[in-house]
Amino acid sequence: MYGKCKDLNSAEFIFSRMSQKSSVSWNVMVSAYVHNECYEEALNLFQDFVNAGWAPDDVLKATILPAYAEVASLRQGAGKLFDSVLEKDVVSWNTIIMAYALHGFGNDAVESFNDMLEREIQPNESTFASLLTACSISGMVEEGWKYFDLMKSEYGIEHGIEHYGCMVDLLGRKGCLDLALKFIEEMPLIPTSRIWGALLTASRYHKNIEIAEYASQKILSLDNDNYHDNTGCYVLRSNLYAKLGRWDDVKLINSIMKKQSIERKTSCSFVEINTKINRFVNQDRSHEESSKIYDALDVILSKMEEGIHVERPLKFRVSKLAKKRLNSPTYHSVRLGIVFGLISTTIGKPVLVRKNMRLCEDCHVAVKKMSEITKREIIVGDSKMYHHFKDGKCSCGDYW
């Protein structure tokens, strides 16, 4: 009860006071951590459960699986744990497929789907949403179309808005923006902000301002029954204008946002070390280890190749450069979080950072280089997916 109400302190207190803990009490406490997205705590408690001589049943294994799916030990932890579950239902299969999807392990997701079919488990609409997400994030275009067609022709499952959204992502990744727009206009369902947002993201990536403007106008014109935050739409469009040097349009977007009292979200990054959540914002110097963090970051920056962070010639007006230096992505929250992770963990261990917003392009380039220089795997979970940076490359293929 306390876990579901997000009162973890009370739940932990009651659990700690139990003189004799049953498998049910362990299960409830692990479930409370997972429900409240305290994945490291859930995994630590699960390990204590095993070390205490208990054998986890299928219920507990299914409960802890999402926690493994959210951390760097996905392939080693989740895969092994999932394999040990004797009675796997469709929900369990959907969970592992989506876990692989969000981490960019498309081939593992497809392999899991094939294993699911071999065990005669009937897929449902959520299965295909997970599978198509995997194909989209991993850039598996042919496989995506194959499963999109298969779900209706073989299993009689109607395509939902999430399935169409994944296909727009796939077309956008391939650069087929006109085809993606035609696909949307011919959909039997009314396109939502999810659909137009996928097209807007693709337009930003391929710098197609005409389609970007069209997609953003569609998003802003939607009459949503529920409140939809359009901040990201404005920001993406403004950033695209800036890249193209269209400063009057940037000014117009900023004016609209100000008039509608729309503020950009504060970018935050989170790193968990020894069960403590460390929060960073851009240019943050409030952390007790700030001095070490900035010193270490400066060392890393000094080893980066010249030009790793060079402002694009058209990106900023001369009059804006002084202000820009104060807001330089050099000290964005994600970089501070990564460096704190590097200096606080064992050499060779992956560093996991979570971010509340989409990873910016400058930081994406920089983190690739950081992974190469430090010879560490760096995992950044942003608002869309998990980026696995290793040896100067990212699992997303530079499309996110």
Side-chain angles (χ1 to χ4, degrees):
M1 179 182 74
Y2 287 113
K4 289 185 178 180
C5 294
K6 297 186 181 295
D7 186 2
L8 282 178
N9 289 333
S10 297
E12 290 171 334
F13 177 77
I14 293 174
F15 182 76
S16 66
R17 294 294 296 272
M18 290 181 177
S19 57
Q20 291 185 333
K21 299 180 177 69
S22 66
S23 60
V24 174
S25 60
W26 284 93
N27 202 331
V28 169
M29 193 65 228
V30 170
S31 178
Y33 280 133
V34 174
H35 180 75
N36 289 280
E37 300 183 355
C38 297
Y39 301 117
E40 294 286 352
E41 289 85 347
L43 292 173
N44 290 334
L45 187 63
F46 179 73
Q47 190 61 54
D48 290 342
F49 174 83
V50 174
N51 293 339
W54 292 88
D57 57 17
D58 284 357
V59 174
L60 183 53
K61 290 176 183 178
T63 299
I64 195 64
L65 188 60
Y68 274 107
E70 289 287 339
V71 300
S73 55
L74 171 66
R75 272 179 165 158
Q76 296 79 10
K80 180 186 289 188
L81 183 69
F82 183 75
D83 290 340
S84 70
V85 176
L86 298 178
E87 297 295 330
K88 303 182 180 72
D89 60 11
V90 66
V91 175
S92 300
W93 284 102
N94 292 350
T95 300
I96 193 66
I97 292 172
M98 182 58 85
Y100 284 132
L102 294 178
H103 284 265
F105 303 145
N107 289 328
D108 293 292
V110 170
E111 184 177 337
S112 295
F113 176 72
N114 291 332
D115 289 344
M116 173 184 176
L117 297 183
E118 288 180 4
R119 288 164 174 74
E120 298 183 348
I121 302 296
Q122 190 76 2
N124 58 22
E125 60 274 9
S126 296
T127 310
F128 283 101
S130 300
L131 188 60
L132 292 176
T133 297
C135 293
S136 172
I137 290 178
S138 298
M140 303 167 67
V141 179
E142 293 183 5
E143 292 86 346
W145 283 111
K146 169 187 172 182
Y147 294 122
F148 183 78
D149 293 335
L150 187 70
M151 64 180 290
K152 190 170 184 178
S153 63
E154 184 73 18
Y155 297 98
I157 300 174
E158 294 293 329
H159 299 124
I161 205 69
E162 281 301 314
H163 308 113
Y164 282 107
C166 290
M167 301 316 295
V168 175
D169 281 332
L170 275 174
L171 290 170
R173 175 182 288 273
K174 198 173 180 180
C176 304
L177 300 183
D178 291 329
L179 185 58
L181 180 57
K182 181 181 179 182
F183 179 79
I184 293 173
E185 292 174 339
E186 294 179 351
M187 280 173 47
L189 302 178
I190 298 175
T192 63
S193 58
R194 159 75 174 91
I195 300 296
W196 291 116
L199 184 62
L200 176 58
T201 298
S203 302
R204 173 199 57 81
Y205 181 81
H206 294 287
K207 298 180 176 61
N208 188 316
I209 192 63
E210 290 80 12
I211 293 183
E213 289 177 327
Y214 183 74
S216 63
Q217 288 168 1
K218 287 291 186 180
I219 293 173
L220 299 175
S221 67
L222 289 175
D223 182 18
N224 295 299
D225 292 331
N226 298 318
Y227 174 75
H228 178 73
D229 185 2
N230 289 321
T231 305
C233 173
Y234 284 114
V235 172
L236 280 176
R237 189 167 163 182
S238 177
N239 289 345
L240 181 53
Y241 284 142
K243 286 182 185 178
L244 299 175
R246 292 175 53 169
W247 301 108
D248 289 338
D249 291 318
V250 172
K251 185 177 180 180
L252 176 62
I253 293 294
N254 291 338
S255 175
I256 294 173
M257 292 178 68
K258 184 176 181 179
K259 185 177 180 180
Q260 297 184 12
S261 299
I262 298 175
E263 296 182 359
R264 297 186 183 222
K265 294 180 180 178
T266 299
S267 176
C268 302
S269 294
F270 305 89
V271 186
E272 184 172 349
I273 302 294
N274 297 327
T275 72
K276 179 183 177 181
I277 303 295
N278 298 269
R279 176 181 179 271
F280 297 90
V281 297
N282 295 346
Q283 327 298 324
D284 199 339
R285 290 188 179 272
S286 63
H287 196 277
E288 59 186 9
E289 298 288 349
S290 283
S291 180
K292 292 181 180 179
I293 292 170
Y294 276 85
D295 287 346
L297 180 54
D298 287 340
V299 170
I300 293 173
L301 290 173
S302 69
K303 292 188 176 183
M304 287 184 176
E305 293 178 1
E306 186 176 355
I308 187 65
H309 174 59
V310 176
E311 302 293 0
R312 299 179 184 88
L314 292 178
K315 192 172 182 181
F316 302 101
R317 286 175 173 171
V318 175
S319 61
K320 299 289 186 180
L321 288 179
K323 182 178 179 181
K324 179 59 187 175
R325 291 189 188 100
L326 296 176
N327 298 313
S328 169
T330 299
Y331 301 115
H332 270 185
S333 65
V334 69
R335 303 195 201 189
L336 299 176
I338 288 171
V339 172
F340 179 66
L342 289 171
I343 65 176
S344 304
T345 55
T346 306
I347 294 177
K349 182 179 179 180
V351 173
L352 174 64
V353 178
R354 294 186 178 89
K355 195 175 187 312
N356 67 336
M357 297 169 60
R358 176 183 172 275
L359 191 61
C360 78
E361 294 178 47
D362 288 300
C363 285
H364 193 271
V365 172
V367 178
K368 286 197 296 182
K369 197 65 181 177
M370 292 171 75
S371 72
E372 182 178 17
I373 290 173
T374 62
K375 299 191 183 301
R376 298 276 290 273
E377 182 178 7
I378 300 171
I379 300 121
V380 179
D382 68 6
S383 57
K384 181 176 181 181
M385 62 174 292
Y386 280 84
H387 302 258
H388 288 248
F389 297 93
K390 190 174 183 180
D391 299 326
K393 298 179 181 179
C394 181
S395 58
C396 76
D398 298 336
Y399 186 97
W400 74 103

